[in-house]
Amino acid sequence: MYLDQQKKEALFEKHGHTKSKTDTGSAESQIALFTYRINHLTEHLKINRKDFSTRLGLLKLVGKRRRLLDYLSKVDITRYREIIAELNIRK
């Protein structure tokens, strides 16, 4: 599988708000996980151009990440700017 338990723990530890392996609920860790999945699906769609169900799933993930980023920008703008800089996401 493309995303095993060790990779998830590394993502949560690197990008989580509390910087622990079990910080799965913070907005930063969820955004990092969605970004990883979005990048994986984008590479898949470059090869399989007619996979429309995967395209729909990708669009839903992008929407979820956008809503989380909007929430984070309203709650704490410094955390929003940090996660944008770490993951190279631009609005």
Side-chain angles (χ1 to χ4, degrees), residues 12-58:
F12 294 147
E13 191 170 0
K14 184 176 180 185
H15 300 290
H17 182 60
T18 60
K19 305 291 184 194
S20 72
K21 291 182 182 180
T22 59
D23 184 20
T24 59
S26 72
E28 291 94 340
S29 60
Q30 290 182 25
I31 290 168
L33 183 63
F34 287 157
T35 302
Y36 184 85
R37 290 175 63 193
I38 286 169
N39 291 337
H40 176 75
L41 290 177
T42 302
E43 292 302 317
H44 171 78
L45 284 173
K46 285 180 183 176
I47 299 168
N48 305 299
R49 294 190 184 274
K50 294 186 179 184
D51 190 355
F52 298 111
S53 61
T54 301
R55 187 176 309 274
L56 178 65
L58 174 67

Side-chain angles (χ1 to χ4, degrees), residues 59-76:
L59 291 175
K60 286 183 179 183
L61 277 177
V62 169
K64 281 184 184 182
R65 184 179 71 178
R66 179 77 262 154
R67 285 191 298 273
L68 274 173
L69 285 169
D70 289 343
Y71 163 78
L72 196 59
S73 69
K74 289 177 189 174
V75 172
D76 191 358

